[in-house]
Amino acid sequence: MRIIFIGQAPFGKDCLQALLDQGEDIAGVLTVPDRPGQKGPNPVKELALERGLPLLQPARLKEPEALTWVKNLRPDLLVLAFVTDIVPRTMIDLATCGGINYHPSLLPKYRGGSAMNWAIINGETETGVTIHQIDAGIDTGPIILQQKVAIDPDDTVKSLYFEKLYPLGVQMVAEAVRLIREGKANPVPQDERQASFQPVIKEADVRIDWRQNAQKIYNLIRGSNPNPGAWTTFRGEKLKIWEATSCRGQGDPGTIIEIAGEEGFVIATGEGAILARRVQHGSSPDKMPATQFVTAAAIQPGEQVGI
């Protein structure tokens, strides 16, 4: 079975490596273009070159060059791993078995590019990995494999992805390819009655409303780490709170009610309080322990955030 692999980032590289280790026939690799000022090399490109695989780096998958390149390679299957572009229907139709995609949610819930963020923000206690067939929609194709994982009370997007959904996804991408190659895959249509779609998360979505209860705010902070970062304002500048815990406390929402020694500072919410542990203030590019910020900014109880 001839496979064209489409992916990027370390996750894409690890999925490609898993397919190679499994003995799959990789006919070619599509990945994103090199960009000026990018941080480090493209891991997928590096592996493709190392293994002597045909490689193309189109700006968009719908470009005529990309379509012609795929057509000439006569693929049986497209395998997507960390793809942020839309695969055109014309490309999908070039592969005998179509294509499959990794998605970090329990589809049909949380379709879209920020599934992990919104699951945590919404207080979900479980999510998972879905390997599904691709079609003209966004994360709408029939499901081949699906597995649940717990969202622990203190999970952030970073811990949820790297410790759970990333390694599980690599395994499941390889397993789905094996099932298709052996004719054992049994795709199941998604239940549209259960479907939900969330847009790609932006800074405007994660401004903290201190009138909400501490748990909701804590979920927002967890679901915004490592990007884009839940934020409020302090002394007229943006204050991002990267790490925090919910705690007991009472006061007017948004009021700093305690300087908590070596832990940080406590902010009152609509119900309960938030202990800020790691923050980033103003134009500073650096995240710092909240205790360091307390000292540097001479923060006093009674000051307010979010004004």
Side-chain angles (χ1 to χ4, degrees):
M1 184 172 68
R2 292 172 57 80
I3 293 168
I4 287 183
F5 182 86
I6 309 174
Q8 60 180 307
F11 178 75
K13 177 184 178 180
D14 286 348
C15 287
L16 178 56
Q17 185 66 63
L19 295 179
L20 291 167
D21 292 345
Q22 191 166 276
E24 303 298 344
D25 179 8
I26 307 299
V29 174
L30 284 163
T31 189
V32 293
D34 297 325
R35 303 189 188 281
Q38 71 182 29
K39 296 181 180 179
N42 179 329
V44 171
K45 176 182 178 180
E46 278 196 319
L47 180 57
L49 293 175
E50 176 188 318
R51 299 298 291 267
L53 301 172
L55 174 70
L56 188 68
Q57 295 176 268
R60 296 294 305 276
L61 294 173
K62 66 180 181 181
E63 289 182 354
E65 179 191 12
L67 294 171
T68 300
W69 188 83
V70 170
K71 181 179 180 180
N72 289 340
L73 288 173
R74 298 175 290 104
D76 295 301
L77 182 68
L78 309 178
V79 177
L80 281 60
F82 201 141
V83 176
T84 53
D85 194 9
I86 300 295
V87 182
R89 181 82 241 184
T90 48
M91 183 177 286
I92 299 171
D93 291 342
L94 292 173
T96 309
C97 301
I100 61 171
N101 179 53
Y102 157 91
H103 186 74
S105 83
L106 297 174
L107 291 175
K109 294 182 67 176
Y110 294 101
R111 293 170 176 168
S114 296
M116 293 178 287
N117 302 80
W118 291 113
I120 292 176
I121 289 170
N122 291 338
E124 301 283 2
T125 58
E126 69 177 16
T127 184
V129 169
T130 302
I131 309 298
H132 66 96
Q133 293 179 329
I134 54 174
D135 57 18
I138 298 176
D139 305 322
T140 54
I143 294 168
I144 296 175
L145 290 174
Q146 191 169 79
Q147 189 166 328
K148 295 180 180 179
V149 302
I151 300 177
D152 293 330
D154 294 326
D155 265 331
T156 63
V157 174
K158 183 177 180 179
S159 65
L160 179 63
Y161 178 60
F162 285 105
E163 296 174 16
K164 300 175 184 178
L165 300 181
Y166 183 127
L168 179 60
V170 172
Q171 296 172 19
M172 290 176 64
V173 166
E175 174 67 6
V177 169
R178 183 188 66 79
L179 290 172
I180 293 168
R181 173 168 45 79
E182 295 178 354
K184 297 178 180 178
N186 184 29
V188 177
Q190 294 187 34
D191 182 356
E192 290 299 323
R193 296 170 299 177
Q194 305 296 322
S196 63
F197 176 86
Q198 278 71 32
V200 172
I201 198 164
K202 300 179 177 64
E203 276 204 354
D205 299 319
V206 294
R207 183 170 187 171
I208 299 170
D209 180 355
W210 294 102
R211 296 169 296 181
Q212 292 186 323
N213 66 48
Q215 186 61 52
K216 284 189 176 181
I217 293 171
Y218 180 49
N219 291 344
L220 183 70
I221 293 168
R222 295 189 302 129
S224 305
N225 180 358
N227 188 62
W231 63 280
T232 185
T233 54
F234 179 67
R235 297 178 185 171
E237 294 189 278
K238 184 175 289 185
L239 176 69
K240 288 192 174 185
I241 301 178
W242 291 104
E243 295 176 16
T245 54
S246 58
C247 62
R248 293 183 179 181
Q250 189 172 350
D252 292 333
T255 301
I256 297 173
I257 56 175
E258 181 185 350
I259 306 302
E262 297 299 315
E263 295 185 279
F265 57 96
V266 180
I267 306 167
T269 73
E271 181 182 338
I274 289 291
L275 171 60
R277 294 181 178 274
R278 192 168 188 83
V279 300
Q280 183 179 7
H281 188 232
S283 60
S284 171
D286 299 322
K287 303 172 185 178
M288 67 177 73
T291 51
Q292 181 180 332
F293 180 59
V294 167
T295 301
I299 296 174
Q300 299 295 322
E303 290 194 82
Q304 289 206 311
V305 299
I307 297 176

